[in-house]
Amino acid sequence: MERAVIRVDGYVQGVGFRWWTMDLARELGLVGYAENLMDGRVEISAQGSTEALGVLIRALIEQPTRRGRPGRVTDHTIDWVTPDPKLRGFSAR
């Protein structure tokens, strides 16, 4: 199990980006959250299998989107952090 914190920048707030991310993460069996940041970015903390995280990350940043992702991502960062055994479910905050 791995955990990644992905921050995406661009036109990602107010367009359904967090809800789309939550739906895909749940489909992939990931746990964590997607949250708007004060600076206009969205932060996604996702935990699960390496394969599922790879699918999520590719879908978050691919240009153009092939999965109907709302908004437009112009930049991103990924930090690999220690998994949190207390995380349950996936939510949009």
Side-chain angles (χ1 to χ4, degrees):
M1 178 177 0
E2 293 188 73
R3 181 173 171 209
V5 176
I6 307 107
R7 291 175 193 88
V8 294
D9 199 357
Y11 180 56
V12 292
Q13 289 193 9
V15 295
F17 189 91
R18 289 176 300 142
W19 305 105
W20 175 88
T21 301
M22 180 180 67
D23 287 344
L24 178 57
R26 287 177 174 175
E27 178 183 315
L28 295 169
L30 297 169
V31 297
Y33 62 85
E35 173 177 46
N36 285 340
L37 299 177
M38 295 293 289
D39 63 7
R41 295 179 299 164
V42 170
E43 177 177 278
I44 300 100
S45 176
Q47 179 172 291
S49 74
T50 303
E51 181 180 316
L53 286 169
V55 171
L56 177 67
I57 291 167
R58 283 189 297 278
L60 289 171
I61 65 175
E62 69 184 357
Q63 298 293 346
T65 179
R66 293 176 296 187
R67 291 182 174 256
R69 184 193 68 230
R72 186 181 78 256
V73 174
T74 58
D75 198 11
H76 71 282
T77 61
I78 302 171
D79 294 312
W80 296 95
V81 298
T82 304
D84 180 352
K86 295 181 228 158
L87 283 177
R88 299 285 183 262
F90 201 99
S91 63
R93 297 179 176 175

